[in-house]
Amino acid sequence: MKLTDRIKRYKYILQTLFQIAAFKIKVFFYKLKNK
Amino acid sequence: MVSIHFPAGIFTVYCRDCWKSDKWDPVDYGRDYNFNKPFFKQYRELMESVPRPNLTGNNAVNSEYSHACESVKNCYFVFWSYFSEDSQYCYALLLSRNTFNSYIVDKSDHANESLHSNRIYKVNYGYFADDCINSNFLFDCIGCSDCLGCVNLRKQKYCLWNEKLSKEKYREQIKYWDIGSYKRLQEAEEKFISLYLSTPHRYAHIINSQNVTGDVLRDTKDCKMCFSALDGVQNCKYLYFGGLNLKDSYDISAGGDTSALLYEIFGTFGSQRIKFCVGGGGSQDNEYSDWAENSSHLFGCIGLKNKKYCILNKQYTKKEYEELLPKIKKHMDEMPYVDKKGNIYKYGEFFPTELSAYAYKETFAFPWYPKTQEEVEAEGWQWRSPQERSYPITLNSKDLPDHIRDVSDSITQETISCAHNGSCDEKCLTAFRINQEELEFYRKMKVALPRLCPNCRYSQRLAWRNSFHLYKRRCMCEGEKSLNGTYTNVTSHFHELEPCPNKFETTFSPEKPEIVYCDQCYKGEFL
């Protein structure tokens, strides 16, 4: 795999992890608010 | 064991673990290339001798009934999925958990009966919904929470049938729309469909993309005729379901994950310069091969792992391979394969359909392009009538308790008849069962038990998206109202009282009753 592809892949993984984390935080606050 | 291959077929089928093990070597089935026979005929002979896996996929933990999945755990009847767990009856589930009866759902948790949705939590019947929480019956909604029966909403809370309510009023009114009751669920569904039909829709579901045509595209660039392309697809044409940095490819059904220069492939990931191949991953420079893992320079091979320079599963040196390959390609042009209908298959054509290991009705094509036995046989393709099913029905779906709270655990022991009872053309299984995890899930989601078998549910769900055909149409905004007069615009658009002049390519056929707006008119109305 080319270095640029590898960087893109890591960028995608990080982006996905951030998206999941943001979604989980959103759900957490939603649950907290509606307890 | 369960298998994607017909039980009385001619193929040798190994279980997934045995097929992937080192206990056998596909090279043992290798053979010399015969210049007196067409290549495709020799390939079919190889297909009949090399063992095939009952189900494909990698790293499936406690997911005996999953097929073509990568890293799934505790999944049942899940197909083409990626890093998901605790899910059932799903197709193309990505990084999701606790998701049931869904189709292409990404990064979600507690989703039921959803389609093309991304980051949803506690959502029943979410179609093209992103970032939505605790809602039911949504279509093309983004960032909504506590909504029911809404179409085209953005960042809204406490909306009922597209009407914004106060928190108290919403809580009061939502008590009536308790979809735990099947009767209420049906009533809500009918109302939702009529709202869906009376509200304009964007010509295509395209998000954050440039210079693209197709439908359901997200983060893509320079793509033509692409459908369900997600996350970094660039410079591709004729693609169905691809993503994760797929570049410069053409004629793809399921592919991606840092791949480039793929042509006429099905289900290949992490590969480069691959032509006319099925399955596999991490490979380069392969042609006409099935399930090649971490291999390169293969031609006409099946099931090879970590191999280089092989033809018809026979190992060659680099020099021999490079000498033989041009001769084979020349031979394929000089002695092409001719099918029963007289179609000629030279080098550069995909495998002839009549040599497929599967009958038409068993393939992915059938739900999208249903054909009768006569039509299939007229094309010269294989037809296999469905196996006769005579399940001893212990409970009629009509006799199921109306409300999920009235369902006892003993339901898991029952064989329930499908409401279609085999009368539809949706590969009806005629009966189905509810397992314990599924029952717990429906209770948690407060939704009524399904009355249809998984295959019928799948077909009903697919009806919410359009087929893979683009029609050139004009925007249906006529100034004050939509073309059919059912929708009155709430804002004035750039064309004022004149009909909108914008034209576009859309998957909504002109016969469909939906109101279709161009991007500008849609944004003017709903954003």
Side-chain angles (χ1 to χ4, degrees), chain B residues 346-369:
Chain B
K346 292 182 177 182
Y347 173 76
E349 295 291 341
F350 196 68
F351 295 103
T353 315
E354 69 177 24
L355 299 186
S356 169
Y358 315 99
Y360 186 77
K361 211 170 179 178
E362 297 160 6
T363 67
F364 173 71
F366 182 77
W368 293 105
Y369 303 100

Side-chain angles (χ1 to χ4, degrees), chain B residues 9 25 57 110 113 120 133 152 173 204 207 233 240 271 278 311 332 337 374 385 404 410 436 446 448 482 515:
Chain B
D25 192 353
H110 285 84
E113 280 294 354
I120 54 172
I133 297 179
N152 299 332
Q173 292 201 18
I207 300 170
V233 176
Y240 171 69
S271 301
V278 177
I311 296 170
M332 285 173 78
Y337 179 82
E374 293 73 37
S385 295
I404 185 73
S410 64
Q436 193 60 41
K446 294 176 186 147
S482 62
I515 306 161

Side-chain angles (χ1 to χ4, degrees), chain A residues 1 5 8-9 12 16 19-20 23-24 26-27 30-31 33-34, chain B residues 95 107 119-121 131 133-134 146 157 171 231 244 247 257-258:
Chain A
M1 199 189 292
D5 283 341
K8 267 189 184 172
R9 196 189 171 105
Y12 175 77
T16 308
Q19 280 183 0
I20 293 172
F23 175 62
K24 287 202 166 173
K26 197 178 162 183
V27 170
Y30 176 84
K31 280 185 188 169
K33 248 171 128 182
N34 291 277
Chain B
L95 303 149
K107 305 180 197 87
R119 296 188 298 270
I120 54 172
Y121 173 71
D131 296 289
I133 297 179
N134 199 24
D146 299 284
K157 252 185 169 186
R171 290 268 154 90
D231 303 325
L244 316 187
K247 287 191 297 188
D257 195 3
T258 326

Side-chain angles (χ1 to χ4, degrees), chain B residues 388-400:
Chain B
E388 278 202 17
R389 297 173 195 276
S390 55
Y391 301 114
I393 306 289
T394 56
L395 186 67
N396 194 310
S397 57
K398 283 179 192 160
D399 302 328
L400 279 170

Side-chain angles (χ1 to χ4, degrees), chain B residues 225-419:
Chain B
M225 287 286 285
C226 290
F227 303 89
S228 303
L230 313 167
D231 303 325
V233 176
Q234 199 179 334
N235 205 15
C236 292
K237 201 172 181 183
Y238 304 126
L239 176 142
Y240 171 69
F241 192 49
L244 316 187
N245 298 325
L246 171 65
K247 287 191 297 188
D248 309 319
S249 298
Y250 207 100
D251 281 339
I252 311 293
S253 294
D257 195 3
T258 326
S259 295
L261 299 165
L262 308 182
Y263 178 60
E264 295 225 29
I265 65 101
F266 182 88
T268 301
F269 295 89
S271 301
Q272 292 80 36
R273 300 178 299 282
I274 304 289
K275 286 175 250 171
F276 326 108
C277 288
V278 177
S283 301
Q284 291 83 35
D285 303 288
N286 296 341
E287 293 179 70
Y288 293 107
S289 295
D290 271 10
W291 304 313
E293 295 280 349
N294 302 318
S295 301
S296 68
H297 301 89
L298 306 183
F299 192 93
C301 294
I302 300 174
L304 295 191
K305 287 163 241 153
N306 309 313
K307 296 283 179 201
K308 268 182 179 181
Y309 305 111
C310 294
I311 296 170
L312 293 177
N313 280 23
K314 188 180 173 188
Q315 183 71 61
Y316 292 88
T317 62
K318 185 183 177 194
K319 198 179 166 208
E320 285 167 342
Y321 178 87
E322 283 170 355
E323 276 172 14
L324 189 55
L325 195 61
K327 289 181 194 164
I328 292 174
K329 288 180 183 174
K330 198 176 167 210
H331 173 251
M332 285 173 78
D333 287 340
E334 286 168 359
M335 191 191 277
Y337 179 82
V338 183
D339 70 6
K340 285 175 202 154
K341 271 194 89 183
N343 296 317
I344 294 167
Y345 291 86
K346 292 182 177 182
Y347 173 76
E349 295 291 341
F350 196 68
F351 295 103
T353 315
E354 69 177 24
L355 299 186
S356 169
Y358 315 99
Y360 186 77
K361 211 170 179 178
E362 297 160 6
T363 67
F364 173 71
F366 182 77
W368 293 105
Y369 303 100
K371 285 181 189 288
T372 60
Q373 184 174 354
E374 293 73 37
E375 285 170 329
V376 171
E377 283 172 350
E379 291 283 351
W381 304 337
Q382 293 173 62
W383 178 268
R384 202 173 284 137
S385 295
Q387 287 171 282
E388 278 202 17
R389 297 173 195 276
S390 55
Y391 301 114
I393 306 289
T394 56
L395 186 67
N396 194 310
S397 57
K398 283 179 192 160
D399 302 328
L400 279 170
D402 179 62
H403 205 286
I404 185 73
R405 67 170 168 250
D406 303 325
V407 178
S408 68
D409 283 358
S410 64
I411 196 87
T412 55
Q413 307 302 318
E414 308 282 2
T415 305
I416 308 161
S417 67
C418 173

